[in-house]
Amino acid sequence: MTNKEFTPEEEQLIEQAFQNLLAEYAKTPHTQRVERITRAYEFAKKAHNGVRRLSGEPYMLHPLAVATIVVKEIGLGSTSICSALLHDVVEDTDYTTEDIRNLFGDKIAQIVDGLTKISGGVFGEQASEQAENFRKLLLTMSEDIRVVLIKIADRLHNMRTLGAQPKQKQYKIAGETQYIYAPLAHRLGLFPIKTELENLAFKYEHPDMYAEIEAKLAVSKASQIENYNQFIAPIQDKLTAMGYQYTISARIKSVYSIYKKMFSKSIPFEEVYDLLAVRIVFTPKEEITEKDQCWMIYSALTEIYRPHPERIRDWISTPKANGYEALHVTVMGQNGAWIEVQIRTNRMHDIAERGLAAHWKYKTGEGEESELDKWLRTIKDVLQHPAEQNALEFLDTFKLNLYAHEVFVFTPKGDIKTLPQGATALDFAYFLHTALGDQCLGVKVNHTLVPLSYVLKSGDQVEVMTSTSQHPQPEWLHFVTTAKAKECLNNYFRKEERAYVHSGEKRFNDALMLIKAEDCRDMALQRMLNHYKLVQPNQLYLQIGEGAIRLDNMSSIIFPKKSIWKKVQQLNPFTHTSSSTSSDMSSMSDTVNPSNPLPKGHKIELTDENLGTIFHLAPCCRPIPGDEVLGYLADDGKMYIHKVECNEALLLKSSQGKRLYAASWKTNRIQSYHETIHIQGIDKPGIFIRVLTIITTDFNINMSGIHISSKDGIFQGTLDVFVYDKKELEDLFVSLKKIPELTAVQRIEHS
């Protein structure tokens, strides 16, 4: 950010943005508190006066844009609008949370405080500041959900203006967005925002692929519109004859959604057939339930088109945990393509578009608790013992709760419970109560005893059997998938571990007294650590407490029988060399060639000379020249190169942004890289010889392994090849795909 006086034109731009905000607010059903919003605007404008964003525009336009998203796209009221206008004041100016409280009250001050980044970490210097900020945000979210809704609006505007940021900052922000904010928006029912966040993150991480898919979508748009008009014509006639007021709209698959399908199924754009979906939103008639009317429209629709028997989704009888309700059916269109149709009432559509704000608007009774209310209540369960986790563990634990799919199971009394897909019988026990989980002796599903690792299915009836003599076992951590169950087990084992550590330390001190060595405790402790190849004293105390290390030979370890001179040397702890690590990650003299130091800034070039010496290709994803990559400065001082889409890189982008470097290739086809290719096709005589001829003769590519199998006229297998870069691999694929019998040729991605 920079400071520079605003021009009259810029002042007018700020005022116009504020008037647009008020115009959007006036369209809402909220009680109009314009004076309050105006005071917040004037205060924020004064606080940010003269400050500019990296793009050069006045900074005040950012909080105005966030406030407009809050009211227009999420549907919140004046408290949230004021908080959005003020959300950066405490962080970026000399004003404090107390100033906000005095001027605007406790609630707005609490929300603004929750939106203000922390300074420093509470877990020590090695903790990730990004993960700490997420943690603070979520802790405040458990008190007031508006904190996270405004934060999502803030992130959406930052993503819309991300082009002004340097490349490594784009990686960091896009990675955070993909890892936590998009799933969070989805979990809170903000589907349009979730889709836009995913698209923008993908755009900045894979700009070339994004542009390619976007261009192909534009080319296919005309035919999609023609198919849509043909498809909906008979539906419109039917709904009109039934006397409904309705709207029908087309929903084209998002660029990111198309990419995910291409990537997961290893297919080209041309083979993604479900680009088009159709949405019917209708005004229900008063004398019939919404559920019955949705099924009546479904019945009318299936009189026109044949439904896919396995692709009916009833989210009306049992809404999703984020409040989403609709009836989905996939039918065969006129041109032989499957088309998904979503059937919703106006109320369901409002909740689907605006999530929480609309969800609360339609609540009918104080005692009513939806699945979304229950999920928000469980947030506090996850946050019960925050001090015992480091920030990254906390982030991973919370992310486990951002599941998109659920299963619905029943208690013995017939109460329905919603759990994430993949939840086990032991997860269910912890879901009901921590004590039930800790004392779980066994579980019956549909009156039959099952293993604790049994994966629950919708419709299962589950009964938990307990015993007061039962306690959690370490292997249980392999049986659970939900955040709450993992957190409960980790808390139990941490408490148990602390007890062992305390016991082990006491036994160590008692043993020192027994051999009269308490005066040289530090030396004795170091000798014991060296002998058992341990680093931390607590590791030693834990093993002593558990009985894994006995102390009956402690004297011989501390005072080995050697010459008097060596004994004197050993009694002096300063004669021992020990490995030390620098806390300053900017110093890499131990690991980086001094003649090729890292450049200043966060940009690096990968050459044939520095690969393998200064920069190391990450073994998890094994990038090759031409792949979109980034650099990560690890704790050991080495720079590792990851593919941008690597799962490990995704976590690093969301939690270690300050250690990331934008990386580009500058290699000269000197070094070759191992890649594995998957091929599949029709097994005809000579087909494999043609494949090998193209690889070894036409491209002169070396091979190190061939694994081929054939069954029922179809062959498939893998080929291990050595290529110089991604372009050579892609050129090879183009040539191989010209063989008509080959149905699939793809690179096996490592992630």
Side-chain angles (χ1 to χ4, degrees):
M1 292 186 291
T2 57
N3 287 67
K4 185 181 176 184
E5 289 299 315
F6 299 149
T7 65
E9 291 79 11
E10 288 173 328
E11 292 282 1
Q12 188 177 353
L13 198 64
I14 294 171
E15 183 60 29
Q16 184 58 53
F18 178 59
Q19 294 305 322
N20 289 342
L21 169 63
L22 292 182
E24 292 297 338
Y25 180 54
K27 297 175 187 175
T28 70
H30 295 289
T31 303
Q32 297 292 296
R33 295 176 177 172
V34 176
E35 185 274 334
R36 184 191 197 197
I37 294 172
T38 303
R39 278 198 303 116
Y41 161 68
E42 295 291 351
F43 182 80
K45 184 181 175 185
K46 178 183 175 184
H48 295 302
N49 185 41
V51 181
R52 298 176 181 276
R53 303 186 84 198
L54 278 180
S55 61
E57 69 176 18
Y59 191 86
M60 188 58 204
L61 290 174
H62 169 65
L64 280 166
V66 174
T68 303
I69 292 170
V70 160
V71 65
K72 182 179 179 182
E73 300 182 50
I74 303 180
L76 299 177
S78 62
T79 298
S80 300
I81 295 170
C82 291
S83 301
L85 288 169
L86 299 167
H87 80 272
D88 279 332
V89 167
V90 174
E91 183 179 336
D92 295 339
T93 75
D94 294 332
Y95 290 103
T96 65
T97 306
E98 201 56 40
D99 295 327
I100 302 293
R101 182 174 286 105
N102 292 334
L103 289 167
F104 299 98
D106 289 339
K107 180 50 66 178
I108 290 177
Q110 179 194 5
I111 295 173
V112 170
D113 184 54
L115 291 162
T116 302
K117 289 180 183 175
I118 61 168
S119 56
V122 296
F123 295 116
E125 294 177 2
Q126 299 303 315
S128 160
E129 186 182 339
Q130 280 170 272
E132 287 276 12
N133 287 329
F134 284 131
R135 174 175 162 146
K136 182 186 177 190
L137 169 71
L138 298 172
L139 284 166
T140 315
M141 165 184 157
S142 69
E143 301 301 325
D144 194 323
I145 193 67
R146 286 175 292 191
V147 172
V148 83
L149 292 173
I150 297 168
K151 188 64 181 176
I152 287 172
D154 176 48
R155 178 47 55 109
L156 179 59
H157 185 248
N158 282 335
M159 288 301 295
R160 287 173 175 173
T161 57
L162 193 57
Q165 297 285 351
K167 191 69 177 176
Q168 85 279 356
K169 196 77 177 288
Q170 290 178 3
Y171 282 146
K172 169 186 174 291
I173 295 172
E176 285 178 350
T177 302
Q178 193 77 278
Y179 188 77
I180 194 84
Y181 284 106
L184 196 51
H186 182 255
R187 196 65 180 78
L188 297 175
L190 302 169
F191 295 108
I193 290 178
K194 169 251 186 187
T195 300
E196 186 175 353
L197 287 174
E198 286 179 336
N199 262 356
L200 289 169
F202 176 61
K203 177 181 179 180
Y204 285 103
E205 291 193 330
H206 301 277
D208 295 339
M209 179 64 75
Y210 182 92
E212 181 183 330
I213 294 175
E214 194 174 42
K216 290 181 176 179
L217 265 179
V219 170
S220 67
K221 188 175 181 180
S223 63
Q224 295 290 344
I225 292 174
E226 183 180 346
N227 291 340
Y228 166 73
N229 289 332
Q230 287 179 359
F231 180 78
I232 67 167
I235 300 174
Q236 288 174 316
D237 294 340
K238 193 75 173 179
L239 292 177
T240 302
M242 294 170 71
Y244 277 109
Q245 291 184 339
Y246 63 89
T247 58
I248 301 181
S249 57
R251 186 180 64 85
I252 304 295
K253 215 175 186 67
S254 70
V255 172
Y256 176 70
S257 180
I258 292 169
Y259 167 76
K260 269 205 312 186
K261 190 146 197 174
M262 291 168 59
F263 187 80
S264 64
K265 295 187 176 294
S266 297
I267 57 175
F269 174 89
E270 290 71 25
E271 292 181 26
V272 179
Y273 296 117
D274 56 344
L275 294 176
L276 176 68
V278 172
R279 182 176 294 150
I280 299 171
V281 180
F282 69 96
T283 303
K285 300 172 183 177
E286 292 185 4
E287 64 274 12
I288 314 173
T289 66
E290 289 185 352
K291 178 180 176 180
D292 286 345
Q293 292 179 73
C294 287
W295 282 107
M296 287 165 63
I297 292 175
Y298 163 83
S299 179
L301 181 66
T302 54
E303 287 178 11
I304 305 170
Y305 298 111
R306 178 174 297 177
H308 193 301
E310 296 179 2
R311 292 176 69 177
I312 298 171
R313 300 289 181 265
D314 178 7
W315 300 116
I316 299 174
S317 302
T318 314
K320 287 187 178 183
N322 54 23
Y324 180 82
E325 294 176 73
L327 186 59
H328 293 194
V329 57
T330 300
V331 298
M332 179 68 76
Q334 295 100 325
N335 60 355
W338 292 108
I339 297 177
E340 183 185 76
V341 181
Q342 302 170 357
I343 304 169
R344 307 173 179 172
T345 64
N346 294 326
R347 177 190 65 82
M348 296 173 188
H349 182 66
D350 201 8
I351 290 173
E353 294 293 300
R354 292 190 168 187
L356 269 178
H359 156 77
W360 282 327
K361 182 171 79 176
Y362 290 107
K363 286 187 74 166
T364 56
E366 289 186 12
E368 181 184 4
E369 186 178 52
S370 73
E371 292 302 326
L372 186 53
D373 294 313
K374 293 174 187 174
W375 178 74
L376 293 172
R377 183 161 45 80
T378 64
I379 294 300
K380 292 190 178 183
D381 292 338
V382 179
L383 303 176
Q384 274 180 340
H385 305 282
E388 297 179 3
Q389 290 177 304
N390 68 40
L392 286 177
E393 283 177 348
F394 175 86
L395 187 58
D396 281 338
T397 298
F398 183 80
K399 195 172 188 299
L400 285 172
N401 258 15
L402 299 181
Y403 48 81
H405 302 289
E406 300 88 21
V407 292
F408 307 98
V409 298
F410 296 90
T411 67
K413 293 183 179 180
D415 296 329
I416 191 167
K417 302 293 180 184
T418 306
L419 280 88
Q421 194 170 61
T424 64
L426 187 56
D427 281 311
F428 180 78
Y430 276 106
F431 175 81
L432 294 178
H433 197 280
T434 302
L436 278 180
D438 286 347
Q439 298 175 5
C440 181
L441 188 63
V443 177
K444 286 184 177 180
V445 173
N446 304 325
H447 311 292
T448 302
L449 192 65
V450 298
L452 296 181
S453 58
Y454 172 85
V455 178
L456 299 172
K457 300 187 289 293
S458 285
D460 281 344
Q461 188 172 32
V462 189
E463 178 186 354
V464 179
M465 298 178 292
T466 62
S467 169
T468 54
S469 62
Q470 177 68 296
H471 301 288
Q473 305 300 312
E475 60 268 21
W476 285 12
L477 282 167
H478 303 300
F479 300 162
V480 295
T481 62
T482 61
K484 181 179 179 181
K486 283 182 180 290
E487 181 66 3
C488 290
L489 286 170
N490 283 325
N491 285 337
Y492 179 87
F493 294 131
R494 275 193 287 264
K495 289 177 185 174
E496 190 178 55
E497 186 176 292
R498 282 199 299 271
Y500 279 127
V501 169
H502 180 74
S503 170
E505 185 174 12
K506 184 178 184 305
R507 288 165 62 184
F508 176 78
N509 291 333
D510 291 345
L512 280 179
M513 291 178 66
L514 193 65
I515 62 174
K516 302 187 185 314
E518 58 265 44
D519 291 341
C520 53
R521 186 182 189 282
D522 290 345
M523 180 275 294
L525 179 59
Q526 189 60 52
R527 291 278 173 82
M528 292 289 285
L529 291 173
N530 292 343
H531 179 79
Y532 289 106
K533 296 181 173 57
L534 301 172
V535 178
Q536 298 295 334
N538 277 2
Q539 294 173 315
L540 177 68
Y541 300 147
L542 176 62
Q543 293 197 33
I544 295 172
E546 291 176 333
I549 291 178
R550 297 169 59 87
L551 297 178
D552 45 12
N553 64 339
M554 183 173 171
S555 180
S556 62
I557 295 172
I558 298 174
F559 306 117
K561 294 178 181 178
K562 294 183 180 178
S563 69
I564 296 297
W565 172 243
K566 287 191 175 181
K567 191 169 185 177
V568 170
Q569 279 188 311
Q570 288 177 334
L571 285 172
N572 180 2
F574 297 104
T575 63
H576 284 273
T577 59
S578 60
S579 60
S580 61
T581 57
S582 171
S583 60
D584 180 9
M585 290 306 299
S586 64
S587 174
M588 294 177 54
S589 58
D590 293 334
T591 52
V592 177
N593 186 335
S595 63
N596 292 293
L598 283 175
K600 293 181 180 179
H602 277 251
K603 292 183 179 179
I604 54 177
E605 276 191 346
L606 307 175
T607 66
D608 296 302
E609 291 75 26
N610 62 32
L611 281 170
T613 55
I614 299 178
F615 307 120
H616 306 271
L617 300 180
C620 54
C621 54
R622 290 165 38 184
I624 64 174
D627 286 329
E628 291 181 88
V629 290
L630 54 80
Y632 168 63
L633 187 59
D635 288 338
D636 60 7
K638 293 181 180 178
M639 179 73 75
Y640 292 93
I641 307 302
H642 290 268
K643 291 180 186 175
V644 168
E645 70 272 13
C646 164
N647 289 334
E648 180 71 15
L650 181 61
L651 178 58
L652 294 174
K653 285 182 286 186
S654 67
S655 59
Q656 301 287 348
K658 291 185 177 178
R659 295 189 181 193
L660 297 184
Y661 285 69
S664 58
W665 299 94
K666 200 173 181 181
T667 54
N668 295 306
R669 297 172 66 88
I670 295 173
Q671 183 177 343
S672 61
Y673 300 85
H674 173 255
E675 283 293 327
T676 304
I677 301 171
H678 174 262
I679 61 172
Q680 182 177 330
I682 301 168
D683 193 2
K684 285 191 174 182
I687 177 68
F688 194 58
I689 297 299
R690 291 159 66 190
V691 170
L692 292 179
T693 299
I694 290 175
I695 295 173
T696 58
T697 304
D698 296 358
F699 280 82
N700 198 27
I701 288 175
N702 289 328
M703 302 178 65
S704 63
I706 300 172
H707 310 275
I708 299 293
S709 62
S710 177
K711 184 179 180 181
D712 299 332
I714 301 294
F715 81 89
Q716 62 176 343
T718 57
L719 308 173
D720 294 309
V721 299
F722 288 91
V723 294
Y724 288 117
D725 52 34
K726 186 179 180 181
K727 185 179 185 308
E728 183 176 34
L729 194 63
E730 290 173 342
D731 290 344
L732 173 63
F733 285 0
V734 170
S735 292
L736 289 174
K737 287 177 179 178
K738 290 178 181 176
I739 301 176
E741 290 83 5
L742 279 186
T743 57
V745 181
Q746 65 196 64
R747 177 185 183 183
I748 294 181
E749 299 286 350
H750 302 275
S751 61

